[in-house]
Amino acid sequence: TYWVRCLLLGQIHTYMRFGPPPPLPPVATPDLASALATLAAAFADVLSAAAADISWQSAAALAASLCCVYLLGAVLLSEPTPRVDVPVDEDVEPKIDGSTAKFDAALLTAEGARREPSVVYCWDPSSMDMLGTLPVASAEDVAAAVGRARVAQAAWAGSTWGARRRLLRTMLRFVTENQRAIARVAVRESGKTMVDAIFGEILVTCEKLKWTIAHGEAALRPERRPTGTLAMTKRVKVEWRPVGVVGAIVPWNYPFHNVFNPVISALFAGNGIVIKVSEYASWSTLYYGRALRAILAAAGAPTDLVQFVTGYGSTGAALVGSGVDKLIFVGSPSVGGHVMRAAAASLTPAGRPPGGVREGARADARRAWWVSIGCAGARR
């Protein structure tokens, strides 16, 4: 309140001492940028006229006015964030009349105990409602998906930081405006509750988007490194460049977050990404995939930057050996070991965050309680 009073008193003092500011010249076109530039020029004329004999109050008032003009122009001239609307499938809401067909678990072993099913079966584990089937991606299908992502990434690699922030802002707006639909799809896919979906899927994804928009560019700027005496004439820096196409193998327990988490980092760093989702969380990719394509299109980015492949272990193995430039794996230590060994054969960088279930190990009560409230859905 004190500074507001100072600003108003300063403006009144300026008016009484120097008279009203000169009238603004007529604007030839209704262009907002030209109008703001004309307004700034008028303030500059007042400042120059009073420069011979001006008090600090008048100078402060004029400086505050110019700051207001600058901030107003920054707000009005900023590019609006596109809005994306993606209709959700009608299957997202369970039917209570019992008309939905139920999933028969015998289908998983009907084709042989040691043979993968020919399709990916999708069902709601909380109600056993059958949601449909999806194809099992072959090695050729995986290679084609990687090829599409590579072509799109070649164009996206040269995008500006502003374009990448615009993409993430578009994604953030979609998530915040479609929270219920996103959570309902995750609930239908994994059998968790809406509360778990809001906290474990929506909240953490929004937080990562928010952080990356604010700090992602600073984290990826070139960094200087000191040199030794023998290289005193050299200047050393580290540049973070896009790696190309990232392959991600993600689990079922958080269908939305496990997909968008690697997508956010990969796209902001200038990469494309191919995601192999769990065979237990494939149905949700129909909605999330449509949403990502719509977000990419609305932000002016190549729509093939994000690719999905569905299937079983053979599809994941095909992705590991497809020639992707980096691998991300989230899952159990035993499967992670197979992924790391396969990636090592082609010297593909691979990362596996801590987590998963350690076979044969008994968790203590405290750890089990923590997992039950924060890092698990309905156990499949």
Coordinates of all heavy atoms in Angstrom, one line a residue, residues 185-275:
V185 N -9.5 -43.2 -16.7 CA -8.8 -44.1 -17.6 C -7.8 -44.9 -16.8 O -7.7 -46.2 -16.9 CB -8.2 -43.4 -18.8 CG1 -7.3 -44.4 -19.6 CG2 -9.2 -42.8 -19.7
A186 N -7.0 -44.3 -15.9 CA -6.0 -45.0 -15.1 C -6.7 -45.9 -14.1 O -6.2 -47.0 -13.9 CB -5.1 -43.9 -14.4
V187 N -7.8 -45.5 -13.6 CA -8.5 -46.4 -12.6 C -9.1 -47.6 -13.3 O -9.0 -48.7 -12.8 CB -9.7 -45.6 -12.0 CG1 -10.7 -46.5 -11.3 CG2 -9.2 -44.5 -11.0
R188 N -9.6 -47.4 -14.5 CA -10.2 -48.5 -15.3 C -9.1 -49.5 -15.7 O -9.3 -50.7 -15.7 CB -10.9 -48.0 -16.5 CG -11.7 -49.0 -17.3 CD -13.0 -49.2 -16.6 NE -14.1 -49.7 -17.5 CZ -14.9 -50.7 -17.2 NH1 -14.8 -51.3 -16.0 NH2 -15.8 -51.1 -18.0
E189 N -7.9 -49.0 -16.0 CA -6.8 -49.8 -16.4 C -6.1 -50.6 -15.3 O -5.8 -51.8 -15.5 CB -5.8 -48.9 -17.1 CG -4.5 -49.7 -17.6 CD -4.8 -50.3 -19.0 OE1 -5.4 -51.4 -19.0 OE2 -4.4 -49.8 -20.0
S190 N -5.9 -49.9 -14.2 CA -5.1 -50.6 -13.1 C -5.9 -51.0 -11.9 O -5.4 -51.7 -11.1 CB -4.1 -49.6 -12.6 OG -4.7 -48.4 -12.1
G191 N -7.2 -50.6 -11.8 CA -8.0 -51.1 -10.6 C -7.8 -50.2 -9.4 O -8.3 -50.6 -8.3
K192 N -7.1 -49.1 -9.5 CA -6.8 -48.3 -8.3 C -8.0 -47.4 -8.0 O -9.0 -47.4 -8.8 CB -5.6 -47.5 -8.5 CG -5.7 -46.5 -9.6 CD -4.4 -45.6 -9.8 CE -3.3 -46.5 -10.1 NZ -2.0 -45.8 -10.3
T193 N -7.9 -46.6 -7.0 CA -9.0 -45.7 -6.6 C -8.8 -44.3 -7.3 O -7.7 -44.0 -7.7 CB -9.1 -45.5 -5.1 OG1 -7.9 -44.9 -4.6 CG2 -9.3 -46.8 -4.4
M194 N -9.8 -43.5 -7.3 CA -9.7 -42.2 -7.9 C -8.7 -41.3 -7.1 O -7.9 -40.5 -7.6 CB -11.0 -41.5 -8.0 CG -11.9 -42.0 -9.1 SD -11.3 -41.4 -10.7 CE -11.6 -39.7 -10.7
V195 N -8.7 -41.5 -5.8 CA -7.8 -40.7 -4.9 C -6.3 -41.1 -5.3 O -5.5 -40.2 -5.4 CB -8.1 -41.0 -3.4 CG1 -7.0 -40.4 -2.6 CG2 -9.4 -40.5 -3.0
D196 N -6.1 -42.4 -5.4 CA -4.7 -42.8 -5.8 C -4.3 -42.2 -7.2 O -3.2 -41.8 -7.4 CB -4.6 -44.3 -5.8 CG -3.2 -44.8 -5.9 OD1 -2.3 -44.0 -5.9 OD2 -3.0 -46.0 -6.1
A197 N -5.3 -42.2 -8.1 CA -5.0 -41.7 -9.4 C -4.7 -40.2 -9.4 O -3.8 -39.8 -10.1 CB -6.2 -42.0 -10.4
I198 N -5.5 -39.5 -8.6 CA -5.3 -38.0 -8.6 C -3.9 -37.7 -8.0 O -3.1 -36.9 -8.5 CB -6.4 -37.3 -7.8 CG1 -7.7 -37.4 -8.5 CG2 -6.0 -35.9 -7.5 CD1 -7.7 -36.7 -9.8
F199 N -3.5 -38.4 -6.9 CA -2.3 -38.1 -6.2 C -1.1 -38.7 -7.0 O 0.0 -38.1 -7.2 CB -2.3 -38.5 -4.8 CG -3.0 -37.6 -3.9 CD1 -4.3 -37.8 -3.6 CD2 -2.3 -36.5 -3.3 CE1 -5.0 -36.9 -2.7 CE2 -3.0 -35.6 -2.5 CZ -4.3 -35.8 -2.2
G200 N -1.2 -40.0 -7.3 CA -0.1 -40.7 -7.9 C 0.1 -40.5 -9.4 O 1.2 -40.8 -9.9
E201 N -1.0 -40.1 -10.1 CA -0.9 -39.9 -11.6 C -0.9 -38.4 -11.9 O 0.0 -37.9 -12.6 CB -2.1 -40.6 -12.3 CG -2.3 -42.0 -11.9 CD -1.6 -43.0 -12.8 OE1 -0.7 -42.5 -13.6 OE2 -1.9 -44.2 -12.7
I202 N -1.9 -37.7 -11.5 CA -2.1 -36.3 -11.9 C -1.1 -35.3 -11.2 O -0.4 -34.6 -11.9 CB -3.5 -35.8 -11.7 CG1 -4.5 -36.8 -12.3 CG2 -3.7 -34.4 -12.2 CD1 -4.5 -36.9 -13.8
L203 N -1.1 -35.4 -9.9 CA -0.3 -34.4 -9.1 C 1.2 -34.5 -9.5 O 1.8 -33.4 -9.8 CB -0.5 -34.7 -7.6 CG 0.3 -33.7 -6.7 CD1 -0.2 -32.3 -6.9 CD2 0.1 -34.1 -5.3
V204 N 1.8 -35.7 -9.5 CA 3.2 -35.8 -9.8 C 3.5 -35.4 -11.2 O 4.6 -34.8 -11.5 CB 3.7 -37.2 -9.5 CG1 3.6 -37.5 -8.0 CG2 2.9 -38.2 -10.3
T205 N 2.6 -35.7 -12.2 CA 2.9 -35.3 -13.6 C 2.8 -33.8 -13.7 O 3.7 -33.2 -14.4 CB 1.9 -36.0 -14.5 OG1 1.9 -37.4 -14.3 CG2 2.1 -35.6 -15.9
C206 N 1.9 -33.1 -13.1 CA 1.8 -31.7 -13.1 C 3.0 -31.0 -12.5 O 3.6 -30.0 -13.0 CB 0.6 -31.2 -12.4 SG -1.0 -31.5 -13.3
E207 N 3.5 -31.6 -11.4 CA 4.7 -31.1 -10.8 C 5.9 -31.2 -11.7 O 6.8 -30.3 -11.8 CB 5.0 -31.8 -9.4 CG 6.2 -31.3 -8.7 CD 6.1 -29.9 -8.3 OE1 5.0 -29.3 -8.2 OE2 7.2 -29.3 -8.1
K208 N 6.1 -32.3 -12.4 CA 7.2 -32.5 -13.3 C 7.1 -31.5 -14.4 O 8.1 -30.9 -14.9 CB 7.3 -33.9 -13.8 CG 8.5 -34.1 -14.7 CD 8.9 -35.5 -14.9 CE 10.2 -35.6 -15.8 NZ 10.7 -37.0 -15.9
L209 N 5.9 -31.3 -15.0 CA 5.7 -30.4 -16.1 C 6.1 -29.0 -15.6 O 6.8 -28.2 -16.3 CB 4.3 -30.4 -16.6 CG 3.9 -31.6 -17.5 CD1 2.4 -31.7 -17.6 CD2 4.6 -31.4 -18.9
K210 N 5.6 -28.6 -14.4 CA 5.8 -27.3 -13.9 C 7.3 -27.0 -13.7 O 7.9 -26.0 -14.0 CB 5.1 -27.1 -12.6 CG 5.2 -25.8 -11.8 CD 4.3 -25.7 -10.7 CE 4.6 -24.5 -9.8 NZ 5.8 -24.7 -8.9
W211 N 8.0 -28.0 -13.1 CA 9.5 -27.8 -12.9 C 10.2 -27.8 -14.2 O 11.1 -26.9 -14.3 CB 10.0 -29.0 -12.0 CG 11.4 -28.8 -11.6 CD1 11.9 -28.3 -10.5 CD2 12.6 -29.1 -12.4 NE1 13.2 -28.3 -10.4 CE2 13.7 -28.8 -11.6 CE3 12.8 -29.7 -13.7 CZ2 15.0 -28.9 -12.1 CZ3 14.1 -29.8 -14.1 CH2 15.2 -29.5 -13.3
T212 N 9.9 -28.6 -15.1 CA 10.6 -28.6 -16.4 C 10.4 -27.3 -17.2 O 11.4 -26.8 -17.8 CB 10.2 -29.8 -17.2 OG1 10.3 -31.0 -16.5 CG2 11.1 -30.0 -18.5
I213 N 9.2 -26.8 -17.1 CA 9.0 -25.5 -17.8 C 9.8 -24.4 -17.2 O 10.4 -23.6 -17.9 CB 7.5 -25.2 -17.8 CG1 6.7 -26.2 -18.6 CG2 7.2 -23.8 -18.2 CD1 5.2 -26.1 -18.4
A214 N 9.9 -24.4 -15.9 CA 10.6 -23.3 -15.2 C 12.1 -23.5 -15.2 O 12.9 -22.5 -15.3 CB 10.1 -23.2 -13.7
H215 N 12.6 -24.8 -15.1 CA 14.1 -25.0 -14.9 C 14.7 -25.9 -16.0 O 15.9 -26.1 -15.9 CB 14.3 -25.6 -13.5 CG 13.7 -24.8 -12.4 ND1 14.1 -23.6 -12.0 CD2 12.6 -25.1 -11.6 CE1 13.4 -23.2 -11.0 NE2 12.4 -24.1 -10.7
G216 N 14.0 -26.4 -16.9 CA 14.5 -27.3 -17.9 C 15.6 -26.7 -18.7 O 16.7 -27.3 -18.9
E217 N 15.4 -25.5 -19.2 CA 16.4 -24.8 -20.0 C 17.7 -24.6 -19.3 O 18.8 -24.9 -19.8 CB 15.9 -23.5 -20.6 CG 16.9 -22.8 -21.4 CD 16.4 -21.4 -21.9 OE1 15.2 -21.1 -21.7 OE2 17.2 -20.7 -22.6
A218 N 17.6 -24.2 -18.0 CA 18.8 -23.9 -17.2 C 19.6 -25.2 -17.0 O 20.8 -25.2 -17.0 CB 18.4 -23.3 -15.9
A219 N 18.9 -26.3 -16.8 CA 19.5 -27.6 -16.6 C 20.3 -28.1 -17.8 O 21.2 -28.9 -17.7 CB 18.5 -28.6 -16.1
L220 N 19.8 -27.7 -19.0 CA 20.4 -28.2 -20.2 C 21.3 -27.2 -20.9 O 21.8 -27.4 -22.1 CB 19.3 -28.6 -21.2 CG 18.5 -29.8 -20.7 CD1 17.3 -30.1 -21.7 CD2 19.3 -31.1 -20.6
R221 N 21.6 -26.1 -20.3 CA 22.5 -25.1 -20.9 C 23.9 -25.6 -20.9 O 24.3 -26.4 -20.0 CB 22.4 -23.8 -20.1 CG 21.2 -22.9 -20.4 CD 21.2 -21.7 -19.5 NE 20.0 -20.9 -19.6 CZ 19.6 -20.0 -18.8 NH1 20.3 -19.8 -17.7 NH2 18.5 -19.3 -19.0
P222 N 24.8 -25.1 -21.8 CA 26.2 -25.5 -21.8 C 26.8 -25.1 -20.5 O 26.5 -24.1 -19.9 CB 26.8 -24.8 -23.0 CG 25.7 -24.5 -23.9 CD 24.5 -24.3 -23.0
E223 N 27.7 -26.0 -20.0 CA 28.4 -25.7 -18.7 C 29.9 -25.6 -18.9 O 30.5 -26.4 -19.6 CB 28.1 -26.9 -17.7 CG 26.6 -27.1 -17.4 CD 26.3 -28.3 -16.5 OE1 27.3 -28.9 -16.2 OE2 25.2 -28.5 -16.2
R224 N 30.5 -24.6 -18.3 CA 31.9 -24.5 -18.3 C 32.6 -25.4 -17.4 O 32.1 -25.8 -16.3 CB 32.3 -23.0 -18.0 CG 31.8 -22.0 -19.0 CD 32.5 -22.1 -20.3 NE 32.1 -21.1 -21.2 CZ 32.5 -21.0 -22.5 NH1 33.5 -21.9 -22.9 NH2 32.1 -20.1 -23.3
R225 N 33.8 -25.9 -17.8 CA 34.7 -26.7 -17.0 C 36.1 -26.1 -16.8 O 36.6 -25.6 -17.8 CB 34.8 -28.1 -17.6 CG 33.5 -28.9 -17.6 CD 33.1 -29.4 -16.2 NE 31.9 -30.3 -16.2 CZ 30.7 -29.9 -16.1 NH1 30.4 -28.6 -16.0 NH2 29.7 -30.8 -16.1
P226 N 36.7 -26.2 -15.7 CA 38.0 -25.7 -15.5 C 39.0 -26.5 -16.2 O 38.8 -27.7 -16.4 CB 38.2 -25.7 -14.0 CG 37.3 -26.8 -13.5 CD 36.1 -26.7 -14.4
T227 N 40.1 -25.9 -16.6 CA 41.2 -26.7 -17.3 C 42.5 -26.7 -16.5 O 42.6 -25.9 -15.5 CB 41.5 -26.0 -18.7 OG1 42.0 -24.6 -18.4 CG2 40.3 -26.0 -19.6
G228 N 43.3 -27.6 -16.8 CA 44.6 -27.7 -16.1 C 45.6 -26.7 -16.6 O 45.4 -26.0 -17.6
T229 N 46.8 -26.7 -16.0 CA 47.9 -25.8 -16.4 C 48.3 -26.1 -17.8 O 48.6 -25.1 -18.6 CB 49.1 -25.9 -15.4 OG1 48.6 -25.7 -14.1 CG2 50.1 -24.9 -15.7
L230 N 48.4 -27.3 -18.2 CA 48.9 -27.7 -19.6 C 47.9 -27.3 -20.6 O 48.2 -27.2 -21.8 CB 49.2 -29.2 -19.7 CG 50.3 -29.7 -18.8 CD1 50.5 -31.2 -18.9 CD2 51.6 -29.0 -19.1
A231 N 46.6 -27.0 -20.2 CA 45.6 -26.6 -21.2 C 45.1 -25.2 -20.9 O 43.9 -24.9 -21.1 CB 44.5 -27.6 -21.2
M232 N 46.0 -24.4 -20.4 CA 45.5 -23.0 -19.9 C 45.0 -22.2 -21.1 O 44.3 -21.2 -20.9 CB 46.7 -22.3 -19.2 CG 47.9 -22.0 -20.1 SD 49.2 -21.1 -19.2 CE 49.6 -22.3 -18.0
T233 N 45.4 -22.5 -22.3 CA 45.0 -21.7 -23.5 C 43.7 -22.3 -24.0 O 43.2 -21.7 -25.0 CB 46.0 -21.8 -24.6 OG1 46.3 -23.1 -25.0 CG2 47.4 -21.2 -24.1
K234 N 43.1 -23.3 -23.4 CA 41.9 -23.9 -23.9 C 40.7 -23.5 -23.0 O 40.8 -23.1 -21.9 CB 42.0 -25.4 -23.9 CG 43.1 -26.0 -24.7 CD 43.0 -25.8 -26.2 CE 44.1 -26.4 -26.9 NZ 44.0 -26.2 -28.4
R235 N 39.5 -23.5 -23.7 CA 38.3 -23.3 -22.9 C 37.4 -24.5 -23.1 O 37.2 -24.9 -24.2 CB 37.5 -22.0 -23.4 CG 38.3 -20.7 -23.3 CD 37.6 -19.5 -23.8 NE 36.4 -19.3 -22.9 CZ 35.5 -18.4 -23.1 NH1 35.6 -17.6 -24.2 NH2 34.5 -18.2 -22.3
V236 N 36.9 -25.0 -22.0 CA 36.2 -26.3 -22.1 C 34.8 -26.1 -21.6 O 34.5 -25.4 -20.6 CB 36.9 -27.4 -21.1 CG1 36.1 -28.7 -21.2 CG2 38.3 -27.6 -21.5
K237 N 33.9 -26.7 -22.3 CA 32.5 -26.6 -21.9 C 31.8 -27.9 -22.3 O 32.2 -28.7 -23.1 CB 31.7 -25.5 -22.6 CG 31.6 -25.6 -24.1 CD 30.8 -24.4 -24.6 CE 30.6 -24.5 -26.1 NZ 29.8 -23.4 -26.7
V238 N 30.7 -28.2 -21.5 CA 29.9 -29.4 -21.8 C 28.6 -29.0 -22.4 O 27.9 -28.1 -21.9 CB 29.7 -30.2 -20.5 CG1 28.8 -31.4 -20.7 CG2 31.0 -30.7 -19.9
E239 N 28.3 -29.6 -23.5 CA 27.0 -29.3 -24.2 C 26.1 -30.5 -24.1 O 26.5 -31.6 -24.4 CB 27.3 -28.9 -25.7 CG 28.0 -27.6 -25.9 CD 28.1 -27.2 -27.3 OE1 27.7 -28.0 -28.2 OE2 28.7 -26.1 -27.6
W240 N 24.8 -30.2 -23.8 CA 23.8 -31.3 -23.7 C 23.0 -31.3 -25.0 O 22.2 -30.4 -25.2 CB 22.9 -31.0 -22.5 CG 23.7 -30.9 -21.2 CD1 24.1 -29.8 -20.6 CD2 24.3 -32.0 -20.4 NE1 24.8 -30.0 -19.4 CE2 24.9 -31.4 -19.3 CE3 24.2 -33.4 -20.5 CZ2 25.6 -32.1 -18.3 CZ3 24.9 -34.1 -19.5 CH2 25.5 -33.5 -18.5
R241 N 23.3 -32.2 -25.8 CA 22.6 -32.3 -27.1 C 21.6 -33.5 -27.1 O 21.8 -34.5 -26.3 CB 23.6 -32.5 -28.2 CG 24.6 -31.4 -28.3 CD 25.6 -31.6 -29.4 NE 26.5 -30.4 -29.6 CZ 27.4 -30.4 -30.5 NH1 27.6 -31.4 -31.4 NH2 28.2 -29.3 -30.6
P242 N 20.6 -33.4 -27.9 CA 19.6 -34.5 -28.0 C 20.3 -35.8 -28.4 O 21.2 -35.8 -29.2 CB 18.6 -34.1 -29.1 CG 18.7 -32.6 -29.1 CD 20.2 -32.3 -28.8
V243 N 19.9 -36.9 -27.8 CA 20.5 -38.2 -28.1 C 19.9 -38.8 -29.3 O 20.5 -39.7 -30.0 CB 20.4 -39.2 -26.9 CG1 21.2 -38.6 -25.7 CG2 19.0 -39.5 -26.5
G244 N 18.6 -38.5 -29.6 CA 18.0 -39.1 -30.8 C 16.6 -39.6 -30.4 O 15.7 -38.9 -30.1
V245 N 16.5 -41.0 -30.5 CA 15.3 -41.6 -30.1 C 15.5 -42.4 -28.8 O 16.4 -43.2 -28.7 CB 14.8 -42.6 -31.2 CG1 13.5 -43.3 -30.8 CG2 14.5 -41.8 -32.5
V246 N 14.6 -42.2 -27.9 CA 14.7 -42.9 -26.6 C 13.7 -44.0 -26.6 O 12.5 -43.9 -27.0 CB 14.4 -41.9 -25.4 CG1 14.4 -42.6 -24.1 CG2 15.4 -40.8 -25.4
G247 N 14.1 -45.2 -26.1 CA 13.2 -46.3 -25.9 C 12.8 -46.4 -24.4 O 13.7 -46.3 -23.6
A248 N 11.6 -46.6 -24.1 CA 11.1 -46.7 -22.7 C 10.3 -47.9 -22.5 O 9.3 -48.1 -23.3 CB 10.4 -45.4 -22.3
I249 N 10.6 -48.7 -21.5 CA 9.8 -49.9 -21.2 C 9.3 -49.6 -19.8 O 10.0 -49.5 -18.8 CB 10.7 -51.2 -21.2 CG1 11.3 -51.4 -22.6 CG2 9.8 -52.4 -20.8 CD1 12.2 -52.6 -22.7
V250 N 8.0 -49.5 -19.7 CA 7.4 -49.0 -18.4 C 6.4 -50.0 -17.9 O 5.8 -50.8 -18.6 CB 6.7 -47.6 -18.6 CG1 7.7 -46.6 -19.0 CG2 5.6 -47.7 -19.7
P251 N 6.1 -50.0 -16.6 CA 5.2 -51.0 -16.0 C 3.8 -50.5 -16.0 O 3.4 -49.5 -16.6 CB 5.7 -51.1 -14.5 CG 6.3 -49.8 -14.2 CD 6.8 -49.2 -15.6
W252 N 2.9 -51.3 -15.3 CA 1.5 -51.1 -15.3 C 0.9 -50.3 -14.2 O -0.2 -49.8 -14.3 CB 0.8 -52.5 -15.3 CG 1.1 -53.2 -14.0 CD1 2.1 -54.1 -13.8 CD2 0.4 -53.1 -12.8 NE1 2.1 -54.5 -12.5 CE2 1.0 -53.9 -11.8 CE3 -0.8 -52.4 -12.4 CZ2 0.6 -54.1 -10.5 CZ3 -1.2 -52.5 -11.1 CH2 -0.5 -53.4 -10.1
N253 N 1.6 -50.1 -13.1 CA 1.0 -49.6 -11.9 C 0.5 -48.2 -11.9 O -0.4 -47.8 -11.2 CB 1.9 -49.8 -10.6 CG 3.3 -49.2 -10.9 OD1 3.6 -48.9 -12.0 ND2 4.0 -49.1 -9.8
Y254 N 1.1 -47.3 -12.7 CA 0.7 -46.0 -12.9 C 0.6 -45.7 -14.4 O 1.5 -45.1 -15.0 CB 1.6 -45.0 -12.2 CG 1.5 -45.0 -10.7 CD1 2.3 -45.8 -9.9 CD2 0.5 -44.3 -10.1 CE1 2.1 -45.9 -8.5 CE2 0.3 -44.3 -8.7 CZ 1.1 -45.1 -8.0 OH 1.0 -45.1 -6.6
P255 N -0.5 -46.1 -15.0 CA -0.5 -46.1 -16.5 C -0.3 -44.7 -17.1 O 0.4 -44.5 -18.1 CB -1.9 -46.5 -16.8 CG -2.4 -47.3 -15.6 CD -1.7 -46.6 -14.5
F256 N -0.8 -43.6 -16.5 CA -0.6 -42.3 -17.0 C 0.8 -41.7 -16.7 O 1.5 -41.3 -17.6 CB -1.7 -41.4 -16.4 CG -1.5 -39.9 -16.8 CD1 -1.8 -39.5 -18.1 CD2 -1.1 -39.0 -15.9 CE1 -1.7 -38.2 -18.5 CE2 -1.0 -37.6 -16.3 CZ -1.2 -37.2 -17.6
H257 N 1.2 -41.7 -15.4 CA 2.4 -41.2 -15.0 C 3.6 -41.9 -15.7 O 4.6 -41.3 -16.1 CB 2.6 -41.1 -13.5 CG 3.9 -40.7 -13.0 ND1 4.9 -41.5 -12.5 CD2 4.4 -39.4 -13.0 CE1 5.9 -40.8 -12.2 NE2 5.7 -39.5 -12.5
N258 N 3.5 -43.2 -15.7 CA 4.6 -44.0 -16.3 C 4.9 -43.7 -17.8 O 6.0 -43.9 -18.3 CB 4.4 -45.5 -16.1 CG 4.6 -45.9 -14.6 OD1 5.2 -45.2 -13.8 ND2 4.0 -47.1 -14.3
V259 N 3.8 -43.2 -18.4 CA 4.0 -42.8 -19.8 C 4.4 -41.4 -20.0 O 5.4 -41.1 -20.7 CB 2.6 -43.1 -20.6 CG1 2.6 -42.4 -21.9 CG2 2.4 -44.6 -20.8
F260 N 3.8 -40.5 -19.3 CA 4.1 -39.1 -19.5 C 5.4 -38.7 -18.8 O 6.0 -37.7 -19.2 CB 2.9 -38.2 -18.9 CG 1.8 -38.0 -19.9 CD1 1.0 -39.0 -20.3 CD2 1.6 -36.7 -20.4 CE1 0.0 -38.8 -21.3 CE2 0.6 -36.5 -21.3 CZ -0.2 -37.5 -21.8
N261 N 5.8 -39.4 -17.8 CA 7.1 -39.1 -17.1 C 8.3 -39.1 -18.1 O 9.0 -38.1 -18.2 CB 7.3 -40.0 -16.0 CG 8.6 -39.7 -15.2 OD1 8.9 -38.6 -14.9 ND2 9.3 -40.8 -14.9
P262 N 8.5 -40.2 -18.8 CA 9.6 -40.2 -19.8 C 9.4 -39.3 -21.0 O 10.3 -38.8 -21.6 CB 9.8 -41.6 -20.2 CG 8.5 -42.3 -19.9 CD 7.9 -41.6 -18.8
V263 N 8.1 -39.1 -21.4 CA 7.8 -38.3 -22.5 C 8.2 -36.8 -22.3 O 8.7 -36.2 -23.1 CB 6.3 -38.4 -22.8 CG1 5.8 -37.3 -23.8 CG2 5.9 -39.7 -23.5
I264 N 7.9 -36.3 -21.1 CA 8.2 -34.9 -20.7 C 9.7 -34.7 -20.9 O 10.1 -33.7 -21.6 CB 7.8 -34.6 -19.3 CG1 6.2 -34.7 -19.2 CG2 8.3 -33.3 -18.8 CD1 5.7 -34.7 -17.8
S265 N 10.5 -35.5 -20.3 CA 12.0 -35.3 -20.3 C 12.5 -35.5 -21.8 O 13.4 -34.7 -22.2 CB 12.7 -36.3 -19.4 OG 12.3 -36.1 -18.1
A266 N 12.0 -36.5 -22.4 CA 12.6 -36.8 -23.8 C 12.2 -35.7 -24.7 O 13.1 -35.2 -25.5 CB 12.0 -38.1 -24.3
L267 N 11.0 -35.2 -24.7 CA 10.6 -34.2 -25.7 C 11.3 -32.8 -25.4 O 11.7 -32.1 -26.3 CB 9.1 -34.0 -25.7 CG 8.3 -35.2 -26.2 CD1 6.8 -34.8 -26.3 CD2 8.8 -35.7 -27.5
F268 N 11.4 -32.5 -24.1 CA 12.0 -31.2 -23.8 C 13.5 -31.2 -24.1 O 14.1 -30.1 -24.4 CB 11.8 -30.9 -22.3 CG 12.2 -29.4 -22.0 CD1 11.3 -28.4 -22.2 CD2 13.4 -29.1 -21.4 CE1 11.6 -27.1 -21.9 CE2 13.7 -27.8 -21.2 CZ 12.8 -26.8 -21.4
A269 N 14.1 -32.4 -24.1 CA 15.6 -32.4 -24.4 C 15.8 -32.5 -25.9 O 16.9 -32.7 -26.4 CB 16.2 -33.6 -23.7
G270 N 14.7 -32.5 -26.7 CA 14.8 -32.6 -28.2 C 14.8 -33.9 -28.8 O 15.3 -34.1 -29.9
N271 N 14.3 -34.9 -28.0 CA 14.3 -36.3 -28.5 C 13.0 -36.8 -29.0 O 12.0 -36.2 -28.7 CB 14.8 -37.2 -27.4 CG 16.2 -36.9 -26.9 OD1 17.2 -36.8 -27.7 ND2 16.3 -36.6 -25.6
G272 N 12.9 -37.9 -29.7 CA 11.7 -38.7 -29.9 C 11.7 -39.8 -28.9 O 12.7 -40.1 -28.3
I273 N 10.6 -40.5 -28.8 CA 10.5 -41.6 -27.8 C 9.5 -42.7 -28.3 O 8.5 -42.4 -28.9 CB 10.0 -41.1 -26.4 CG1 10.1 -42.2 -25.4 CG2 8.7 -40.4 -26.5 CD1 9.9 -41.7 -24.0
V274 N 9.9 -43.9 -28.1 CA 9.1 -45.1 -28.4 C 8.8 -45.8 -27.1 O 9.8 -46.2 -26.4 CB 9.7 -46.0 -29.4 CG1 8.8 -47.2 -29.7 CG2 10.1 -45.3 -30.7
I275 N 7.6 -46.0 -26.7 CA 7.2 -46.5 -25.4 C 6.6 -47.9 -25.5 O 5.6 -48.1 -26.3 CB 6.3 -45.6 -24.6 CG1 6.8 -44.2 -24.6 CG2 6.0 -46.1 -23.2 CD1 5.8 -43.2 -24.0

